[in-house]
Amino acid sequence: MRPSLSFLLALLFFLGQAAGDLWDVGPPLPSSSTSFFPGVDSSSSYSSGRSSDGRGSVSQLFSNVTGSVDDRGTCQCSVSLPDTTFPVDRVERLEFTAHVLSEKFEKELSKVKEYVQLISVYEKKLLNLTVRIEIMEKDSISYTELDFALIKVEVKEMEKLIIQLKESFGGSSEIVDQLEVEIRNMTLLVEKLETLDKNNVLAIRREIVALKNKLKECEASKGENTPLVHPSLTPGSCGHGGVVNVSRPSVVQLNWRGFSYKYGAWGRDHSSQHPNKELYWVAPLNTDGRLLEYYRLYNSMDDLLLYTNARELRITYGQGSGTAVYNNNMYVNLYNSGNIARINLTTNRVAVTQTLPDAAFNNRFSYANVAWQDIDIAVDEKGLWVIYSTEASTGNMVISKLNDTTLQVLNTWYTKQYKPSASNAFMVCGVLYATRTLNTRAEEIFYYYDTNTGKEGKLDIVMQKMQEKVQSINYSPFDRKLYVYNDGYLLNYDLFVLQKPQ
């Protein structure tokens, strides 16, 4: 083993002390004597003390020191070191132990630093989670509680309607009485199921739909000359005289992203090749009310109600709530432009983009109370449409029929209705219907333009709503319903149309 520096220094110090002691001992030898150390008798055993300068006795450092003179006259000494010699081995072991301890300390110190960093990260996560929980405690409720609350609202509305029916019949009717009993039973059932899970919400919604259909049939048959056609008219048929009424809203649910996502659109895909196919889509905008980034697809209304079996997809270029779905394609206004894009829902890729000629965009002529909807895409029995304004039309509504594959404009109609004064619009059988806000709980279908005849006029069809603002209205030709996005809530309405005389 290679001696350490401390060992060499200690050894030099020890030898220096010993040499000094030897040189200072006794009187000098006679000149005739030859000795290795001056003053040492060649035949004696040396054990005397140090000189009188007070440095102590040499015997304290050495023991059993003997000397002899060889044939050449050289003095030879044999020295045995006592137990008081410098502990070199111990020092080296101590140095090794100190080195090992130093390495262990460095490792533990590095671990402590890592733990400190982790604690800092977890502190931030905990703070963020605390803030989120506080927000949830302040303004959110569970989906199950929300669903039951909305069901209670619907049941109460049916109770009001049954009272009105009884009054209009001028007395009692067996059918009306039976419906009244069923509604009371439904109220009791809701109260019992309120403690159960959400699957029961689905079952009770089905019963509510059946009861609503019966109520609508009773309402439609109050008078023998009522010229209304039930929404169950053959899908895709335009053999009627236009929209004359709408039902009360049916609250489906809150959008899947939550209360903060008040802007967006939703609806049902209409496929001319597969009209019976179910595909529902929900597309809430980000909280800025502008960017369409995420949307979901559901293969049935049951899945939508239970938030299950959804395909969640992402895009980064949609703008506004004027979205529509037709033949398994989603049509959107491209972000920050007057262009329209067709997105294949199977691949979630843009298939075609097209510029809408002269269309104003970026809030130049959006709807009242709804930003970023200068370009509103619509679907009806006749295909794909777009509702917008131009500078040349001075902000009045322009209607264009589009090729749903290439997005080329096929035909265009110009109206006299100023677009920013309307709250929204939709198409049914080639007729534009525009809405406006009456108050915080009602909209009114107040204007129409028929592209089949070029006629336009005023209407006064009141639409009840759950929240203050309507962000989008999409029409489904299959079930003849309006799918309305109302401050984050998903509503739908049944349309009633005028029956043409035979």
Short mmCIF file of all heavy atoms in Angstrom, two decimals, residues 11-24 50 55 58 61-62:
data_model
loop_
_atom_site.label_atom_id
_atom_site.label_comp_id
_atom_site.label_asym_id
_atom_site.label_seq_id
_atom_site.Cartn_x
_atom_site.Cartn_y
_atom_site.Cartn_z
N LEU A 11 6.29 10.30 10.32
CA LEU A 11 7.52 9.51 10.43
C LEU A 11 8.75 10.41 10.49
O LEU A 11 9.66 10.20 11.29
CB LEU A 11 7.61 8.54 9.25
CG LEU A 11 8.81 7.60 9.24
CD1 LEU A 11 8.79 6.70 10.49
CD2 LEU A 11 8.80 6.72 7.99
N LEU A 12 8.76 11.47 9.63
CA LEU A 12 9.89 12.41 9.65
C LEU A 12 9.99 13.11 10.99
O LEU A 12 11.08 13.30 11.55
CB LEU A 12 9.73 13.43 8.52
CG LEU A 12 9.95 12.89 7.09
CD1 LEU A 12 9.61 13.97 6.07
CD2 LEU A 12 11.41 12.46 6.90
N PHE A 13 8.82 13.51 11.51
CA PHE A 13 8.83 14.19 12.82
C PHE A 13 9.38 13.25 13.91
O PHE A 13 10.20 13.62 14.75
CB PHE A 13 7.41 14.63 13.16
CG PHE A 13 7.29 15.21 14.55
CD1 PHE A 13 7.70 16.50 14.82
CD2 PHE A 13 6.79 14.44 15.60
CE1 PHE A 13 7.60 17.03 16.09
CE2 PHE A 13 6.67 14.97 16.86
CZ PHE A 13 7.09 16.27 17.12
N PHE A 14 8.99 11.99 13.86
CA PHE A 14 9.42 11.02 14.86
C PHE A 14 10.92 10.77 14.78
O PHE A 14 11.63 10.77 15.78
CB PHE A 14 8.64 9.72 14.66
CG PHE A 14 9.11 8.59 15.52
CD1 PHE A 14 8.78 8.56 16.88
CD2 PHE A 14 9.88 7.58 14.98
CE1 PHE A 14 9.22 7.53 17.66
CE2 PHE A 14 10.31 6.56 15.77
CZ PHE A 14 9.98 6.51 17.12
N LEU A 15 11.43 10.60 13.55
CA LEU A 15 12.87 10.34 13.38
C LEU A 15 13.69 11.55 13.79
O LEU A 15 14.78 11.42 14.35
CB LEU A 15 13.15 9.96 11.93
CG LEU A 15 12.57 8.60 11.47
CD1 LEU A 15 12.85 8.39 9.99
CD2 LEU A 15 13.18 7.47 12.29
N GLY A 16 13.14 12.74 13.52
CA GLY A 16 13.87 13.95 13.92
C GLY A 16 14.01 14.04 15.42
O GLY A 16 15.05 14.40 15.97
N GLN A 17 12.94 13.71 16.13
CA GLN A 17 12.98 13.74 17.59
C GLN A 17 13.97 12.71 18.13
O GLN A 17 14.75 12.99 19.03
CB GLN A 17 11.58 13.43 18.14
CG GLN A 17 10.57 14.57 17.93
CD GLN A 17 10.85 15.74 18.84
OE1 GLN A 17 11.61 16.65 18.46
NE2 GLN A 17 10.30 15.73 20.04
N ALA A 18 13.92 11.52 17.53
CA ALA A 18 14.82 10.47 17.99
C ALA A 18 16.28 10.82 17.74
O ALA A 18 17.16 10.61 18.58
CB ALA A 18 14.46 9.16 17.33
N ALA A 19 16.54 11.38 16.57
CA ALA A 19 17.93 11.75 16.23
C ALA A 19 18.44 12.82 17.18
O ALA A 19 19.58 12.80 17.65
CB ALA A 19 18.01 12.21 14.78
N GLY A 20 17.60 13.76 17.52
CA GLY A 20 18.03 14.82 18.45
C GLY A 20 18.38 14.26 19.82
O GLY A 20 19.31 14.68 20.47
N ASP A 21 17.58 13.31 20.25
CA ASP A 21 17.85 12.68 21.55
C ASP A 21 19.18 11.95 21.56
O ASP A 21 19.94 12.01 22.51
CB ASP A 21 16.73 11.71 21.91
CG ASP A 21 15.45 12.46 22.25
OD1 ASP A 21 15.54 13.64 22.64
OD2 ASP A 21 14.35 11.85 22.07
N LEU A 22 19.45 11.25 20.44
CA LEU A 22 20.70 10.47 20.39
C LEU A 22 21.93 11.38 20.40
O LEU A 22 22.95 11.09 21.02
CB LEU A 22 20.70 9.56 19.18
CG LEU A 22 19.68 8.40 19.24
CD1 LEU A 22 19.71 7.64 17.91
CD2 LEU A 22 20.04 7.45 20.36
N TRP A 23 21.86 12.47 19.67
CA TRP A 23 23.02 13.37 19.57
C TRP A 23 23.28 14.07 20.90
O TRP A 23 24.40 14.46 21.20
CB TRP A 23 22.83 14.41 18.48
CG TRP A 23 23.07 13.82 17.09
CD1 TRP A 23 22.17 13.52 16.17
CD2 TRP A 23 24.32 13.49 16.53
NE1 TRP A 23 22.72 12.99 15.05
CE2 TRP A 23 24.11 12.96 15.24
CE3 TRP A 23 25.67 13.56 16.99
CZ2 TRP A 23 25.13 12.53 14.42
CZ3 TRP A 23 26.68 13.13 16.12
CH2 TRP A 23 26.40 12.61 14.85
N ASP A 24 22.30 14.21 21.71
CA ASP A 24 22.49 14.96 22.95
C ASP A 24 22.86 14.09 24.14
O ASP A 24 22.96 14.56 25.26
CB ASP A 24 21.19 15.71 23.29
CG ASP A 24 20.94 16.80 22.28
OD1 ASP A 24 21.89 17.24 21.65
OD2 ASP A 24 19.73 17.21 22.15
N ARG A 50 17.60 12.11 28.77
CA ARG A 50 18.05 13.13 27.83
C ARG A 50 19.00 14.10 28.53
O ARG A 50 19.23 14.02 29.74
CB ARG A 50 16.85 13.89 27.26
CG ARG A 50 15.98 13.01 26.37
CD ARG A 50 14.97 13.86 25.66
NE ARG A 50 14.14 13.05 24.78
CZ ARG A 50 13.26 13.55 23.95
NH1 ARG A 50 13.07 14.86 23.92
NH2 ARG A 50 12.55 12.76 23.16
N ARG A 55 14.26 18.08 27.69
CA ARG A 55 13.45 17.43 26.66
C ARG A 55 12.98 16.06 27.08
O ARG A 55 12.37 15.35 26.30
CB ARG A 55 14.23 17.33 25.35
CG ARG A 55 14.40 18.67 24.66
CD ARG A 55 15.10 18.52 23.34
NE ARG A 55 16.50 18.09 23.53
CZ ARG A 55 17.30 17.77 22.53
NH1 ARG A 55 16.84 17.77 21.30
NH2 ARG A 55 18.53 17.43 22.78
N VAL A 58 15.11 9.62 26.85
CA VAL A 58 15.03 8.88 25.61
C VAL A 58 14.34 7.56 25.82
O VAL A 58 13.68 7.03 24.93
CB VAL A 58 16.43 8.66 25.03
CG1 VAL A 58 16.36 7.85 23.75
CG2 VAL A 58 17.11 9.98 24.78
N LEU A 61 10.95 7.02 24.64
CA LEU A 61 10.68 6.76 23.23
C LEU A 61 11.22 5.42 22.78
O LEU A 61 10.71 4.85 21.82
CB LEU A 61 11.30 7.86 22.36
CG LEU A 61 10.77 9.29 22.60
CD1 LEU A 61 11.56 10.28 21.78
CD2 LEU A 61 9.29 9.35 22.29
N PHE A 62 12.32 4.95 23.41
CA PHE A 62 12.93 3.69 23.00
C PHE A 62 13.01 2.75 24.21
O PHE A 62 13.08 3.18 25.35
CB PHE A 62 14.37 3.89 22.48
CG PHE A 62 14.43 4.73 21.23
CD1 PHE A 62 14.66 6.09 21.30
CD2 PHE A 62 14.25 4.15 19.99
CE1 PHE A 62 14.71 6.84 20.15
CE2 PHE A 62 14.31 4.91 18.85
CZ PHE A 62 14.55 6.26 18.92
#
